[in-house]
């Protein structure tokens, strides 16, 4: 089975890189220092600093491997260079008018590693994003989710 593309915005890639660098240069060396100190204290079987430190080191190494794979597979999409600003593409900020309750909301279509619903960041593989991608300003879309079926009108598209 082919792996799914890992599209990501430049900001999202920078965030992954920042976390990776922090783990490599700050967090991991500090935990290694604590584990080394704790190992020198004798009996390791009841040494909480040693046991917790080793567990934390495994978690850090696991996260580093995960970030490395995600960054290696990442395909950075520079949405600011988009010329057809009347159409919804990856990285777009889209303002929607809910035809059911007359409310507005603004979302941004981003990569799976950038999800943050509290900021309106939705994954490009979500039902909402799939319904939006390729649509034009003024189009009406129907979004079917497990909880409801909602109709929206696209009232604004931005790439800044």
């Amino acid at each position: 089975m082919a792996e799914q593309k890992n599209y990501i915005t430049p900001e999202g890639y920078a965030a992954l890189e920042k976390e990776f660098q922090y783990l490599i240069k700050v967090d991991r060396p500090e935990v290694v220092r604590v584990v080394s100190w704790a190992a020198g204290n004798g009996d390791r079987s009841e040494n909480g600093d040693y046991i917790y430190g080793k567990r934390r080191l495994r978690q850090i190494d696991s996260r580093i491997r995960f970030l490395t794979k995600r960054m290696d597979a990442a395909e950075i999409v520079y949405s600011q260079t988009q010329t057809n600003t009347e159409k919804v593409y990856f990285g777009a900020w889209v303002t929607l008018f809910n035809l059911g309750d007359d409310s507005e909301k603004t979302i941004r279509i981003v990569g799976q590693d950038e999800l943050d619903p509290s900021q309106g960041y939705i994954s490009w593989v979500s039902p909402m994003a799939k319904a939006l991608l390729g649509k034009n300003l003024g189009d009406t879309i129907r979004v079917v989710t497990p909880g409801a079926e909602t109709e929206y009108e696209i009232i604004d598209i931005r790439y800044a």
Side-chain angles (χ1 to χ4, degrees):
M1 184 168 119
E3 280 193 37
Q4 189 175 49
K5 294 269 188 192
N6 182 26
Y7 295 118
I8 193 165
T9 65
E11 302 89 358
Y13 189 85
L16 292 180
E17 179 69 25
K18 182 179 178 182
E19 181 184 358
F20 177 80
Q21 292 301 325
Y22 175 80
L23 290 172
I24 291 287
K25 293 180 179 176
V26 178
D27 209 13
R28 191 174 195 288
E30 176 61 22
V31 173
V32 167
R33 187 187 64 73
V34 169
V35 168
S36 295
W37 168 81
N41 289 338
D43 186 13
R44 296 177 185 173
S45 65
E46 295 181 15
N47 186 331
D49 287 329
Y50 180 81
I51 293 168
Y52 171 75
K54 291 294 280 185
R55 182 178 302 138
R56 179 70 185 126
L57 206 51
R58 284 190 301 272
Q59 291 169 343
I60 290 170
D61 288 343
S62 176
R63 183 67 181 168
I64 288 170
R65 279 190 304 277
F66 173 80
L67 291 171
T68 300
K69 287 178 185 177
R70 295 304 288 173
M71 289 187 305
D72 286 348
E75 191 169 320
I76 301 172
V77 178
Y78 297 91
S79 60
Q80 298 86 333
T81 60
Q82 187 57 250
T83 55
N84 185 0
T85 57
E86 299 288 311
K87 204 173 238 279
V88 178
Y89 295 108
F90 182 90
W93 285 97
V94 184
T95 303
L96 302 167
F97 180 75
N98 186 326
L99 298 173
D101 65 10
D102 293 339
S103 64
E104 283 185 18
K105 71 177 175 180
T106 301
I107 57 164
R108 184 174 189 203
I109 301 172
V110 296
Q112 295 176 19
D113 297 317
E114 304 173 82
L115 262 214
D116 188 352
S118 67
Q119 290 187 6
Y121 286 23
I122 64 168
S123 169
W124 68 278
V125 296
S126 69
M128 173 74 81
K130 285 183 176 184
L132 284 168
L133 288 170
K135 299 296 189 265
N136 293 304
L137 188 63
D139 284 356
T140 301
I141 62 162
R142 174 174 284 139
V143 180
V144 178
T145 59
E149 184 175 317
T150 312
E151 284 192 68
Y152 297 95
E153 181 181 346
I154 302 170
I155 58 175
D156 188 34
I157 302 170
R158 295 185 324 275
Y159 286 95

